[in-house]
Amino acid sequence: MTGAQAAAAQVAAATAAEAYQRIVAALIRITGDWTLAEDCAQEALALALDRWPVDGVPDNPGGWLMTVARNRALDVLRRGTVERRKLRELAVLALTAATAEPEREEIVDDRLRLIFTCCHPALPLEARVALTLRTICAVATADIARAFLVGESTMTRRLTRAKTKITEARIPYRVPTGPALTQRLPGVLAVLYLLFTHGYNADGEPAFADEAIRLARLLARLMPDQAEVHALRALFLLQHSRRHARRDAAGDLVPLDRQDRSRWDHAAIGEAVGILDELRESELRESEPAESEPAKPGPYALQARIAACHATAASVADTDWVGIADCYDRLAHLQPSPVIELNRAVAHGYAYGPAAGLDLLARARAGGELDDYPLAIAAEADLTARAGDRVRAAALFRAAAAGVHSDAERRALLDRADEA
């Protein structure tokens, strides 16, 4: 392959990543057929990867891809069965009228329609994540199956059931407005958050975290007035900024307090801090005039502020634990859950001493929801060690290690037990 051909192949790959979801979204809107849309988009991309290195990159690569995918969809629909004639006629009319390069507003609407439909609450949460990966991110079904610890055929059936559910339940292919948008947006953000954790966890697939960040950036561009969308993007950037320092040369997990901070992605941290600063300024503007009730940050904004306290500290000793504890206090009030109460206990343990943390941890575990939860046991172990009872702390670290599923996490907890 010549240099020009290699450059054309790179352009094709880059254009594919940008154009895929736009093509799929437009074809779903026009035909209502998810499988047809995905197949035609993939065939267009495959043709580009085959032709562009030889023929050269067209002046409008996105338009070229859309035209090829549209024409392929027309061919399939025209060869459709008699039973589908009415749908075929309507779709052919829409496709024939569609331009290769739709207006920007239409592109924005199509992308948002696709995201909100994939994340519809009528679908099981796991199906929402898988459908988002497959349809919006173009992740191979085999890779999604591996992340969910199931076979490829099982994941294929799950995706098919999700698409069938969308059709049979007549789930509307649209972006909600007004109160419905306020109600549905947290569900969309929750899917992105779960997608990110699938990539960020110790044994996760790092590419999924990258896809979650890409989708968060897209959503922020498409919904610039939604503060929690920007807050989620900042949270992802801050968490992901530590990715290169989270493991040592042997592949073992490195705790936050022992990470080499020079290996953190400080450009990503700076971008996230800038987002949070803009959100604070927006909150202040919304609080004017002075007698107005102050605007309150949402749950993702509070989590992002917590992550920023860690990311901007020059060292562990410089971490603003009082600020972190305050954010967890507000988060526990806004979105109470056993896990948030657990994290709140840890933060108070560092801000006000291990005794304060152990007291809050005992309260958090009183309801039984955290029984046998490895991270709760590990938190108790850490606070117990800081309180001076190293023998009990070592036993607790070993108990926590016995309950985790990740080998990397197990080794890290056993190392803590040996140190205690």
Side-chain angles (χ1 to χ4, degrees), residues 285-334:
R285 287 194 299 271
E286 291 176 13
S287 299
E288 296 175 349
E291 60 271 15
S292 300
E293 183 178 349
K296 296 179 180 178
Y300 290 117
L302 289 169
Q303 292 181 65
R305 291 181 185 182
I306 291 167
C309 287
H310 290 295
T312 57
S315 66
V316 177
D318 293 329
T319 303
D320 180 12
W321 282 107
V322 172
I324 292 173
D326 176 67
C327 284
Y328 271 119
D329 289 344
R330 298 161 74 180
L331 189 59
H333 177 75
L334 184 65

mmCIF file of all heavy atoms in Angstrom, residues 285-334:
data_model
loop_
_atom_site.group_PDB
_atom_site.id
_atom_site.type_symbol
_atom_site.label_atom_id
_atom_site.label_comp_id
_atom_site.label_asym_id
_atom_site.label_seq_id
_atom_site.Cartn_x
_atom_site.Cartn_y
_atom_site.Cartn_z
ATOM 1 N N ARG A 285 -25.449 32.627 37.995
ATOM 2 C CA ARG A 285 -26.328 33.467 37.179
ATOM 3 C C ARG A 285 -27.795 33.112 37.419
ATOM 4 O O ARG A 285 -28.653 33.983 37.489
ATOM 5 C CB ARG A 285 -25.994 33.305 35.691
ATOM 6 C CG ARG A 285 -24.698 33.983 35.280
ATOM 7 C CD ARG A 285 -24.598 34.089 33.772
ATOM 8 N NE ARG A 285 -24.597 32.775 33.133
ATOM 9 C CZ ARG A 285 -23.498 32.067 32.890
ATOM 10 N NH1 ARG A 285 -22.309 32.542 33.237
ATOM 11 N NH2 ARG A 285 -23.572 30.892 32.297
ATOM 12 N N GLU A 286 -28.063 31.805 37.569
ATOM 13 C CA GLU A 286 -29.438 31.373 37.806
ATOM 14 C C GLU A 286 -29.928 31.786 39.184
ATOM 15 O O GLU A 286 -31.137 31.852 39.424
ATOM 16 C CB GLU A 286 -29.534 29.855 37.654
ATOM 17 C CG GLU A 286 -29.355 29.373 36.220
ATOM 18 C CD GLU A 286 -29.366 27.862 36.124
ATOM 19 O OE1 GLU A 286 -29.744 27.218 37.109
ATOM 20 O OE2 GLU A 286 -28.994 27.332 35.063
ATOM 21 N N SER A 287 -28.983 32.030 40.102
ATOM 22 C CA SER A 287 -29.354 32.418 41.468
ATOM 23 C C SER A 287 -29.647 33.906 41.597
ATOM 24 O O SER A 287 -30.084 34.354 42.649
ATOM 25 C CB SER A 287 -28.224 32.043 42.437
ATOM 26 O OG SER A 287 -28.004 30.656 42.430
ATOM 27 N N GLU A 288 -29.368 34.680 40.550
ATOM 28 C CA GLU A 288 -29.634 36.110 40.595
ATOM 29 C C GLU A 288 -31.129 36.359 40.344
ATOM 30 O O GLU A 288 -31.753 35.629 39.576
ATOM 31 C CB GLU A 288 -28.795 36.832 39.539
ATOM 32 C CG GLU A 288 -27.294 36.717 39.809
ATOM 33 C CD GLU A 288 -26.464 37.325 38.701
ATOM 34 O OE1 GLU A 288 -27.051 37.649 37.636
ATOM 35 O OE2 GLU A 288 -25.251 37.454 38.876
ATOM 36 N N PRO A 289 -31.770 37.340 40.981
ATOM 37 C CA PRO A 289 -31.190 38.289 41.936
ATOM 38 C C PRO A 289 -30.829 37.642 43.259
ATOM 39 O O PRO A 289 -31.124 36.477 43.491
ATOM 40 C CB PRO A 289 -32.309 39.314 42.103
ATOM 41 C CG PRO A 289 -33.552 38.541 41.825
ATOM 42 C CD PRO A 289 -33.193 37.582 40.736
ATOM 43 N N ALA A 290 -30.214 38.422 44.139
ATOM 44 C CA ALA A 290 -29.630 37.892 45.370
ATOM 45 C C ALA A 290 -30.632 37.149 46.232
ATOM 46 O O ALA A 290 -30.276 36.203 46.933
ATOM 47 C CB ALA A 290 -28.982 39.027 46.170
ATOM 48 N N GLU A 291 -31.913 37.582 46.214
ATOM 49 C CA GLU A 291 -32.895 36.945 47.094
ATOM 50 C C GLU A 291 -33.385 35.599 46.552
ATOM 51 O O GLU A 291 -34.118 34.887 47.227
ATOM 52 C CB GLU A 291 -34.100 37.864 47.303
ATOM 53 C CG GLU A 291 -34.864 38.240 46.043
ATOM 54 C CD GLU A 291 -34.314 39.493 45.386
ATOM 55 O OE1 GLU A 291 -33.185 39.906 45.739
ATOM 56 O OE2 GLU A 291 -35.011 40.055 44.525
ATOM 57 N N SER A 292 -32.982 35.234 45.321
ATOM 58 C CA SER A 292 -33.401 33.960 44.750
ATOM 59 C C SER A 292 -32.715 32.800 45.467
ATOM 60 O O SER A 292 -31.605 32.929 45.997
ATOM 61 C CB SER A 292 -33.056 33.900 43.261
ATOM 62 O OG SER A 292 -33.701 34.935 42.559
ATOM 63 N N GLU A 293 -33.377 31.665 45.472
ATOM 64 C CA GLU A 293 -32.784 30.474 46.067
ATOM 65 C C GLU A 293 -31.615 30.018 45.199
ATOM 66 O O GLU A 293 -31.726 29.961 43.971
ATOM 67 C CB GLU A 293 -33.826 29.360 46.152
ATOM 68 C CG GLU A 293 -33.302 28.104 46.823
ATOM 69 C CD GLU A 293 -34.369 27.032 46.938
ATOM 70 O OE1 GLU A 293 -35.541 27.346 46.695
ATOM 71 O OE2 GLU A 293 -34.018 25.888 47.261
ATOM 72 N N PRO A 294 -30.473 29.725 45.801
ATOM 73 C CA PRO A 294 -29.302 29.320 45.013
ATOM 74 C C PRO A 294 -29.595 28.086 44.157
ATOM 75 O O PRO A 294 -30.285 27.166 44.599
ATOM 76 C CB PRO A 294 -28.243 29.011 46.084
ATOM 77 C CG PRO A 294 -28.708 29.727 47.308
ATOM 78 C CD PRO A 294 -30.191 29.750 47.239
ATOM 79 N N ALA A 295 -29.092 28.109 42.926
ATOM 80 C CA ALA A 295 -29.234 26.937 42.067
ATOM 81 C C ALA A 295 -28.408 25.787 42.653
ATOM 82 O O ALA A 295 -27.297 25.987 43.142
ATOM 83 C CB ALA A 295 -28.751 27.267 40.655
ATOM 84 N N LYS A 296 -28.961 24.579 42.607
ATOM 85 C CA LYS A 296 -28.301 23.435 43.223
ATOM 86 C C LYS A 296 -27.703 22.526 42.165
ATOM 87 O O LYS A 296 -28.348 22.215 41.166
ATOM 88 C CB LYS A 296 -29.311 22.670 44.081
ATOM 89 C CG LYS A 296 -29.855 23.473 45.254
ATOM 90 C CD LYS A 296 -30.877 22.671 46.044
ATOM 91 C CE LYS A 296 -31.426 23.492 47.214
ATOM 92 N NZ LYS A 296 -32.454 22.742 47.977
ATOM 93 N N PRO A 297 -26.470 22.087 42.379
ATOM 94 C CA PRO A 297 -25.862 21.155 41.424
ATOM 95 C C PRO A 297 -26.567 19.808 41.461
ATOM 96 O O PRO A 297 -27.078 19.383 42.504
ATOM 97 C CB PRO A 297 -24.410 21.048 41.902
ATOM 98 C CG PRO A 297 -24.476 21.377 43.359
ATOM 99 C CD PRO A 297 -25.572 22.387 43.505
ATOM 100 N N GLY A 298 -26.588 19.117 40.317
ATOM 101 C CA GLY A 298 -27.192 17.797 40.228
ATOM 102 C C GLY A 298 -26.240 16.716 40.704
ATOM 103 O O GLY A 298 -25.083 16.983 41.061
ATOM 104 N N PRO A 299 -26.686 15.454 40.688
ATOM 105 C CA PRO A 299 -25.852 14.365 41.200
ATOM 106 C C PRO A 299 -24.551 14.167 40.434
ATOM 107 O O PRO A 299 -23.510 13.880 41.037
ATOM 108 C CB PRO A 299 -26.759 13.135 41.086
ATOM 109 C CG PRO A 299 -27.864 13.525 40.164
ATOM 110 C CD PRO A 299 -28.029 14.994 40.317
ATOM 111 N N TYR A 300 -24.573 14.324 39.106
ATOM 112 C CA TYR A 300 -23.325 14.149 38.348
ATOM 113 C C TYR A 300 -22.377 15.319 38.584
ATOM 114 O O TYR A 300 -21.145 15.140 38.599
ATOM 115 C CB TYR A 300 -23.614 13.965 36.863
ATOM 116 C CG TYR A 300 -24.272 12.649 36.552
ATOM 117 C CD1 TYR A 300 -25.555 12.601 36.016
ATOM 118 C CD2 TYR A 300 -23.627 11.448 36.817
ATOM 119 C CE1 TYR A 300 -26.174 11.387 35.745
ATOM 120 C CE2 TYR A 300 -24.234 10.235 36.549
ATOM 121 C CZ TYR A 300 -25.505 10.201 36.015
ATOM 122 O OH TYR A 300 -26.124 9.001 35.762
ATOM 123 N N ALA A 301 -22.922 16.515 38.781
ATOM 124 C CA ALA A 301 -22.070 17.670 39.089
ATOM 125 C C ALA A 301 -21.366 17.457 40.428
ATOM 126 O O ALA A 301 -20.171 17.766 40.571
ATOM 127 C CB ALA A 301 -22.901 18.943 39.116
ATOM 128 N N LEU A 302 -22.086 16.933 41.410
ATOM 129 C CA LEU A 302 -21.467 16.674 42.717
ATOM 130 C C LEU A 302 -20.397 15.583 42.611
ATOM 131 O O LEU A 302 -19.314 15.709 43.197
ATOM 132 C CB LEU A 302 -22.545 16.268 43.723
ATOM 133 C CG LEU A 302 -23.496 17.399 44.161
ATOM 134 C CD1 LEU A 302 -24.670 16.830 44.946
ATOM 135 C CD2 LEU A 302 -22.748 18.433 45.000
ATOM 136 N N GLN A 303 -20.683 14.529 41.872
ATOM 137 C CA GLN A 303 -19.672 13.481 41.697
ATOM 138 C C GLN A 303 -18.443 14.014 40.956
ATOM 139 O O GLN A 303 -17.307 13.631 41.262
ATOM 140 C CB GLN A 303 -20.273 12.304 40.937
ATOM 141 C CG GLN A 303 -21.321 11.534 41.711
ATOM 142 C CD GLN A 303 -21.868 10.370 40.919
ATOM 143 O OE1 GLN A 303 -21.164 9.419 40.595
ATOM 144 N NE2 GLN A 303 -23.148 10.441 40.575
ATOM 145 N N ALA A 304 -18.679 14.878 39.983
ATOM 146 C CA ALA A 304 -17.551 15.456 39.250
ATOM 147 C C ALA A 304 -16.715 16.359 40.153
ATOM 148 O O ALA A 304 -15.481 16.386 40.056
ATOM 149 C CB ALA A 304 -18.059 16.237 38.039
ATOM 150 N N ARG A 305 -17.370 17.105 41.048
ATOM 151 C CA ARG A 305 -16.614 17.944 41.991
ATOM 152 C C ARG A 305 -15.768 17.088 42.924
ATOM 153 O O ARG A 305 -14.633 17.463 43.272
ATOM 154 C CB ARG A 305 -17.589 18.810 42.793
ATOM 155 C CG ARG A 305 -18.269 19.888 41.966
ATOM 156 C CD ARG A 305 -19.211 20.734 42.806
ATOM 157 N NE ARG A 305 -19.948 21.693 41.988
ATOM 158 C CZ ARG A 305 -20.802 22.580 42.464
ATOM 159 N NH1 ARG A 305 -21.051 22.628 43.771
ATOM 160 N NH2 ARG A 305 -21.429 23.423 41.651
ATOM 161 N N ILE A 306 -16.305 15.953 43.337
ATOM 162 C CA ILE A 306 -15.526 15.032 44.179
ATOM 163 C C ILE A 306 -14.302 14.555 43.414
ATOM 164 O O ILE A 306 -13.176 14.559 43.936
ATOM 165 C CB ILE A 306 -16.407 13.846 44.609
ATOM 166 C CG1 ILE A 306 -17.493 14.306 45.592
ATOM 167 C CG2 ILE A 306 -15.557 12.735 45.225
ATOM 168 C CD1 ILE A 306 -18.581 13.283 45.829
ATOM 169 N N ALA A 307 -14.519 14.125 42.172
ATOM 170 C CA ALA A 307 -13.393 13.652 41.356
ATOM 171 C C ALA A 307 -12.378 14.761 41.128
ATOM 172 O O ALA A 307 -11.162 14.513 41.089
ATOM 173 C CB ALA A 307 -13.917 13.127 40.020
ATOM 174 N N ALA A 308 -12.848 15.999 40.982
ATOM 175 C CA ALA A 308 -11.936 17.131 40.768
ATOM 176 C C ALA A 308 -11.079 17.391 42.000
ATOM 177 O O ALA A 308 -9.912 17.784 41.883
ATOM 178 C CB ALA A 308 -12.726 18.374 40.398
ATOM 179 N N CYS A 309 -11.652 17.198 43.189
ATOM 180 C CA CYS A 309 -10.861 17.371 44.421
ATOM 181 C C CYS A 309 -9.671 16.419 44.431
ATOM 182 O O CYS A 309 -8.566 16.782 44.851
ATOM 183 C CB CYS A 309 -11.731 17.134 45.653
ATOM 184 S SG CYS A 309 -12.924 18.452 46.001
ATOM 185 N N HIS A 310 -9.897 15.203 43.986
ATOM 186 C CA HIS A 310 -8.793 14.237 43.905
ATOM 187 C C HIS A 310 -7.812 14.604 42.798
ATOM 188 O O HIS A 310 -6.591 14.578 42.989
ATOM 189 C CB HIS A 310 -9.344 12.828 43.643
ATOM 190 C CG HIS A 310 -10.076 12.216 44.788
ATOM 191 N ND1 HIS A 310 -9.448 11.902 45.982
ATOM 192 C CD2 HIS A 310 -11.377 11.844 44.932
ATOM 193 C CE1 HIS A 310 -10.340 11.360 46.810
ATOM 194 N NE2 HIS A 310 -11.510 11.323 46.205
ATOM 195 N N ALA A 311 -8.360 14.959 41.631
ATOM 196 C CA ALA A 311 -7.518 15.149 40.448
ATOM 197 C C ALA A 311 -6.653 16.394 40.532
ATOM 198 O O ALA A 311 -5.570 16.443 39.925
ATOM 199 C CB ALA A 311 -8.394 15.212 39.198
ATOM 200 N N THR A 312 -7.096 17.405 41.252
ATOM 201 C CA THR A 312 -6.346 18.664 41.301
ATOM 202 C C THR A 312 -5.434 18.768 42.517
ATOM 203 O O THR A 312 -4.676 19.735 42.634
ATOM 204 C CB THR A 312 -7.311 19.863 41.311
ATOM 205 O OG1 THR A 312 -8.218 19.748 42.422
ATOM 206 C CG2 THR A 312 -8.117 19.913 40.017
ATOM 207 N N ALA A 313 -5.481 17.781 43.413
ATOM 208 C CA ALA A 313 -4.604 17.805 44.589
ATOM 209 C C ALA A 313 -3.180 17.435 44.187
ATOM 210 O O ALA A 313 -2.960 16.471 43.452
ATOM 211 C CB ALA A 313 -5.116 16.836 45.656
ATOM 212 N N ALA A 314 -2.214 18.195 44.666
ATOM 213 C CA ALA A 314 -0.816 17.926 44.333
ATOM 214 C C ALA A 314 -0.332 16.629 44.957
ATOM 215 O O ALA A 314 0.577 15.976 44.447
ATOM 216 C CB ALA A 314 0.060 19.085 44.790
ATOM 217 N N SER A 315 -0.941 16.236 46.071
ATOM 218 C CA SER A 315 -0.562 15.002 46.759
ATOM 219 C C SER A 315 -1.767 14.525 47.567
ATOM 220 O O SER A 315 -2.771 15.238 47.690
ATOM 221 C CB SER A 315 0.637 15.231 47.686
ATOM 222 O OG SER A 315 0.265 16.114 48.746
ATOM 223 N N VAL A 316 -1.650 13.336 48.118
ATOM 224 C CA VAL A 316 -2.732 12.809 48.954
ATOM 225 C C VAL A 316 -2.984 13.734 50.143
ATOM 226 O O VAL A 316 -4.131 14.012 50.505
ATOM 227 C CB VAL A 316 -2.385 11.388 49.445
ATOM 228 C CG1 VAL A 316 -3.475 10.866 50.370
ATOM 229 C CG2 VAL A 316 -2.189 10.454 48.271
ATOM 230 N N ALA A 317 -1.907 14.242 50.725
ATOM 231 C CA ALA A 317 -2.042 15.098 51.901
ATOM 232 C C ALA A 317 -2.764 16.400 51.579
ATOM 233 O O ALA A 317 -3.382 17.003 52.454
ATOM 234 C CB ALA A 317 -0.662 15.409 52.484
ATOM 235 N N ASP A 318 -2.684 16.841 50.316
ATOM 236 C CA ASP A 318 -3.311 18.104 49.929
ATOM 237 C C ASP A 318 -4.769 17.942 49.498
ATOM 238 O O ASP A 318 -5.419 18.929 49.129
ATOM 239 C CB ASP A 318 -2.528 18.735 48.769
ATOM 240 C CG ASP A 318 -1.138 19.177 49.196
ATOM 241 O OD1 ASP A 318 -0.979 19.547 50.369
ATOM 242 O OD2 ASP A 318 -0.226 19.133 48.351
ATOM 243 N N THR A 319 -5.286 16.723 49.529
ATOM 244 C CA THR A 319 -6.661 16.482 49.077
ATOM 245 C C THR A 319 -7.660 17.182 49.999
ATOM 246 O O THR A 319 -7.554 17.109 51.222
ATOM 247 C CB THR A 319 -6.957 14.970 49.051
ATOM 248 O OG1 THR A 319 -6.006 14.317 48.196
ATOM 249 C CG2 THR A 319 -8.366 14.709 48.516
ATOM 250 N N ASP A 320 -8.632 17.838 49.408
ATOM 251 C CA ASP A 320 -9.657 18.571 50.163
ATOM 252 C C ASP A 320 -10.752 17.601 50.616
ATOM 253 O O ASP A 320 -11.849 17.547 50.061
ATOM 254 C CB ASP A 320 -10.248 19.681 49.290
ATOM 255 C CG ASP A 320 -11.319 20.496 50.018
ATOM 256 O OD1 ASP A 320 -11.440 20.347 51.255
ATOM 257 O OD2 ASP A 320 -12.019 21.277 49.340
ATOM 258 N N TRP A 321 -10.442 16.845 51.677
ATOM 259 C CA TRP A 321 -11.394 15.837 52.151
ATOM 260 C C TRP A 321 -12.640 16.476 52.768
ATOM 261 O O TRP A 321 -13.732 15.905 52.686
ATOM 262 C CB TRP A 321 -10.726 14.910 53.153
ATOM 263 C CG TRP A 321 -9.857 13.878 52.490
ATOM 264 C CD1 TRP A 321 -8.497 13.834 52.458
ATOM 265 C CD2 TRP A 321 -10.305 12.750 51.740
ATOM 266 N NE1 TRP A 321 -8.057 12.756 51.721
ATOM 267 C CE2 TRP A 321 -9.154 12.071 51.276
ATOM 268 C CE3 TRP A 321 -11.566 12.255 51.405
ATOM 269 C CZ2 TRP A 321 -9.237 10.912 50.506
ATOM 270 C CZ3 TRP A 321 -11.649 11.104 50.629
ATOM 271 C CH2 TRP A 321 -10.500 10.443 50.188
ATOM 272 N N VAL A 322 -12.493 17.638 53.346
ATOM 273 C CA VAL A 322 -13.673 18.315 53.905
ATOM 274 C C VAL A 322 -14.638 18.682 52.772
ATOM 275 O O VAL A 322 -15.859 18.498 52.886
ATOM 276 C CB VAL A 322 -13.257 19.569 54.701
ATOM 277 C CG1 VAL A 322 -14.481 20.381 55.107
ATOM 278 C CG2 VAL A 322 -12.454 19.165 55.938
ATOM 279 N N GLY A 323 -14.089 19.181 51.668
ATOM 280 C CA GLY A 323 -14.923 19.488 50.510
ATOM 281 C C GLY A 323 -15.566 18.236 49.934
ATOM 282 O O GLY A 323 -16.736 18.256 49.522
ATOM 283 N N ILE A 324 -14.815 17.129 49.896
ATOM 284 C CA ILE A 324 -15.364 15.870 49.392
ATOM 285 C C ILE A 324 -16.488 15.386 50.300
ATOM 286 O O ILE A 324 -17.548 14.951 49.827
ATOM 287 C CB ILE A 324 -14.245 14.809 49.286
ATOM 288 C CG1 ILE A 324 -13.262 15.196 48.173
ATOM 289 C CG2 ILE A 324 -14.834 13.420 49.028
ATOM 290 C CD1 ILE A 324 -12.039 14.307 48.103
ATOM 291 N N ALA A 325 -16.270 15.468 51.622
ATOM 292 C CA ALA A 325 -17.306 15.046 52.567
ATOM 293 C C ALA A 325 -18.571 15.891 52.406
ATOM 294 O O ALA A 325 -19.691 15.370 52.458
ATOM 295 C CB ALA A 325 -16.774 15.138 53.997
ATOM 296 N N ASP A 326 -18.383 17.183 52.177
ATOM 297 C CA ASP A 326 -19.542 18.063 51.983
ATOM 298 C C ASP A 326 -20.318 17.666 50.734
ATOM 299 O O ASP A 326 -21.565 17.638 50.740
ATOM 300 C CB ASP A 326 -19.080 19.511 51.880
ATOM 301 C CG ASP A 326 -20.230 20.459 51.568
ATOM 302 O OD1 ASP A 326 -21.102 20.614 52.442
ATOM 303 O OD2 ASP A 326 -20.259 21.021 50.455
ATOM 304 N N CYS A 327 -19.610 17.356 49.651
ATOM 305 C CA CYS A 327 -20.286 16.928 48.420
ATOM 306 C C CYS A 327 -21.060 15.630 48.648
ATOM 307 O O CYS A 327 -22.182 15.473 48.152
ATOM 308 C CB CYS A 327 -19.272 16.747 47.291
ATOM 309 S SG CYS A 327 -18.660 18.289 46.559
ATOM 310 N N TYR A 328 -20.461 14.703 49.405
ATOM 311 C CA TYR A 328 -21.168 13.448 49.671
ATOM 312 C C TYR A 328 -22.386 13.676 50.570
ATOM 313 O O TYR A 328 -23.406 12.990 50.419
ATOM 314 C CB TYR A 328 -20.231 12.414 50.288
ATOM 315 C CG TYR A 328 -19.510 11.583 49.263
ATOM 316 C CD1 TYR A 328 -18.119 11.583 49.182
ATOM 317 C CD2 TYR A 328 -20.219 10.792 48.361
ATOM 318 C CE1 TYR A 328 -17.456 10.823 48.232
ATOM 319 C CE2 TYR A 328 -19.559 10.036 47.402
ATOM 320 C CZ TYR A 328 -18.179 10.054 47.344
ATOM 321 O OH TYR A 328 -17.537 9.299 46.392
ATOM 322 N N ASP A 329 -22.296 14.617 51.490
ATOM 323 C CA ASP A 329 -23.463 14.954 52.310
ATOM 324 C C ASP A 329 -24.619 15.412 51.416
ATOM 325 O O ASP A 329 -25.773 14.981 51.588
ATOM 326 C CB ASP A 329 -23.116 16.064 53.314
ATOM 327 C CG ASP A 329 -22.187 15.589 54.425
ATOM 328 O OD1 ASP A 329 -22.053 14.359 54.607
ATOM 329 O OD2 ASP A 329 -21.594 16.449 55.104
ATOM 330 N N ARG A 330 -24.302 16.282 50.473
ATOM 331 C CA ARG A 330 -25.337 16.799 49.580
ATOM 332 C C ARG A 330 -25.830 15.721 48.618
ATOM 333 O O ARG A 330 -27.028 15.647 48.304
ATOM 334 C CB ARG A 330 -24.778 18.000 48.809
ATOM 335 C CG ARG A 330 -24.384 19.147 49.738
ATOM 336 C CD ARG A 330 -23.426 20.134 49.094
ATOM 337 N NE ARG A 330 -24.067 20.989 48.122
ATOM 338 C CZ ARG A 330 -23.427 21.924 47.445
ATOM 339 N NH1 ARG A 330 -22.121 22.107 47.617
ATOM 340 N NH2 ARG A 330 -24.070 22.678 46.572
ATOM 341 N N LEU A 331 -24.925 14.874 48.178
ATOM 342 C CA LEU A 331 -25.306 13.797 47.266
ATOM 343 C C LEU A 331 -26.207 12.779 47.967
ATOM 344 O O LEU A 331 -27.180 12.290 47.380
ATOM 345 C CB LEU A 331 -24.046 13.117 46.722
ATOM 346 C CG LEU A 331 -24.216 12.101 45.585
ATOM 347 C CD1 LEU A 331 -24.876 12.751 44.377
ATOM 348 C CD2 LEU A 331 -22.854 11.522 45.197
ATOM 349 N N ALA A 332 -25.891 12.474 49.230
ATOM 350 C CA ALA A 332 -26.713 11.533 49.996
ATOM 351 C C ALA A 332 -28.122 12.083 50.201
ATOM 352 O O ALA A 332 -29.096 11.319 50.242
ATOM 353 C CB ALA A 332 -26.059 11.234 51.336
ATOM 354 N N HIS A 333 -28.242 13.389 50.329
ATOM 355 C CA HIS A 333 -29.557 14.012 50.480
ATOM 356 C C HIS A 333 -30.320 14.018 49.155
ATOM 357 O O HIS A 333 -31.546 13.799 49.121
ATOM 358 C CB HIS A 333 -29.401 15.446 50.993
ATOM 359 C CG HIS A 333 -30.688 16.194 51.112
ATOM 360 N ND1 HIS A 333 -31.592 15.967 52.134
ATOM 361 C CD2 HIS A 333 -31.235 17.165 50.319
ATOM 362 C CE1 HIS A 333 -32.641 16.750 51.969
ATOM 363 N NE2 HIS A 333 -32.450 17.492 50.893
ATOM 364 N N LEU A 334 -29.573 14.235 48.068
ATOM 365 C CA LEU A 334 -30.195 14.368 46.754
ATOM 366 C C LEU A 334 -30.541 13.017 46.145
ATOM 367 O O LEU A 334 -31.591 12.855 45.510
ATOM 368 C CB LEU A 334 -29.235 15.128 45.824
ATOM 369 C CG LEU A 334 -29.720 15.475 44.413
ATOM 370 C CD1 LEU A 334 -30.883 16.457 44.492
ATOM 371 C CD2 LEU A 334 -28.564 16.087 43.610
#
